[in-house]
Amino acid sequence: MTPVLSSDYAFDGAGRAESQEDATNTAPPARWSLVVPLKPLALAKSRLAAAVGAHLRPRLALAFALDTVEAALTCPAVRDVAVVTDDPLAGAELAALGARIVEDRPGAGLNAALAHGAYAVRALRPGAAVAALNADLPALRPVELGRVLDAASAFPRAFLADAAGIGTTFLSAGPGVDLAPAFGGPSRAAHSASGAAEILLSGVDSVRQDVDTGADLRTALALGPGRATAALRAAVDVVPGH
């Protein structure tokens, strides 16, 4: 018999979750701490430069992060957001939204930053459920994030693949469980191999649509970006083919 969490989620033999609900589902009570990693803006979103130009790239990287964090903090399932960054401008603007800024003390790349952020969260709340979330989700919708977090709560660790189906935009770890991030490159396969359950939900495109290329940016703009990215929309002239 296939194990069932509720009438909203059923799980296949590979331990993956599929939703049977619609996007009007109410998110669970606030309990998640999100960890969002952000490179220094001078280095962030380097692949996007070919599509939008070197001047606009760091401005978009900051806008993406602002929209991601603002939407996350609006989600009822989210208790707090810790942003791991050493960028002073980004840190100041994200703190003004209500995020906690954690210095990237390891300085050893994305996964080390995420592990450090999770440690910092649990240093204050040892029983926290934590989730890593990409900083480049400019169209993120709080309701869709809430549905992903609701699905993740059924597993010790769970992840959501990106829109391309190769990478990962979200990884969760329940209370007392090591986050064990393996982001970068084909991280969908890496997280699956690590034992994390894959979340399969329809209608959560905004949580899956990260932005690395001009094509990604066009898709995110079509989904409807947050206010920071929308403010730059008139300046965006994506080079065809990038």
Side-chain angles (χ1 to χ4, degrees):
M1 178 181 295
T2 301
V4 177
L5 171 65
S6 70
S7 60
D8 294 330
Y9 295 98
F11 305 97
D12 64 16
R16 297 176 298 184
E18 291 197 63
S19 174
Q20 299 174 353
E21 64 177 1
D22 59 31
T24 62
N25 182 54
T26 302
R31 66 185 190 89
W32 287 92
S33 290
L34 302 189
V35 179
V36 177
L38 181 62
K39 289 181 181 179
L41 297 178
L43 303 175
K45 299 286 94 185
S46 58
R47 291 173 55 193
L48 198 56
V52 301
H55 175 69
L56 189 57
R57 175 193 54 75
R59 296 174 63 197
L60 281 170
L62 176 57
F64 297 165
L66 289 169
D67 288 336
T68 299
V69 170
E70 184 169 38
L73 287 169
T74 306
C75 176
V78 174
R79 174 170 179 156
D80 48 29
V81 176
V83 178
V84 183
T85 188
D86 284 334
D87 190 285
L89 173 61
E93 296 207 22
L94 290 163
L97 290 179
R100 173 189 175 191
I101 306 304
V102 178
E103 182 182 356
D104 186 5
R105 292 178 183 172
L110 176 58
N111 292 311
L114 287 169
H116 175 62
Y119 176 84
V121 165
R122 286 174 168 169
L124 295 178
R125 291 198 304 122
V130 299
L133 185 70
N134 283 15
D136 57 348
L137 302 171
L140 183 64
R141 291 176 171 82
V143 169
E144 294 182 11
L145 176 59
R147 293 182 61 220
V148 171
L149 289 166
D150 191 19
S153 67
F155 302 99
R157 291 174 64 243
F159 71 94
L160 185 73
D162 63 12
I166 298 171
T168 307
T169 59
F170 169 95
L171 173 69
S172 66
V177 179
D178 186 10
L179 186 63
F183 286 81
S187 61
R188 179 185 189 180
H191 285 132
S192 181
S194 75
E198 181 170 7
I199 298 169
L200 298 179
L201 286 173
S202 61
V204 293
D205 294 347
S206 74
V207 195
R208 301 183 65 206
Q209 188 57 62
D210 55 354
V211 178
D212 289 317
T213 67
D216 295 335
L217 179 55
R218 284 190 289 269
T219 301
L221 292 175
L223 284 174
R227 59 179 180 171
T229 303
L232 295 176
R233 191 165 192 164
V236 174
D237 184 14
V238 178
V239 177
H242 293 276

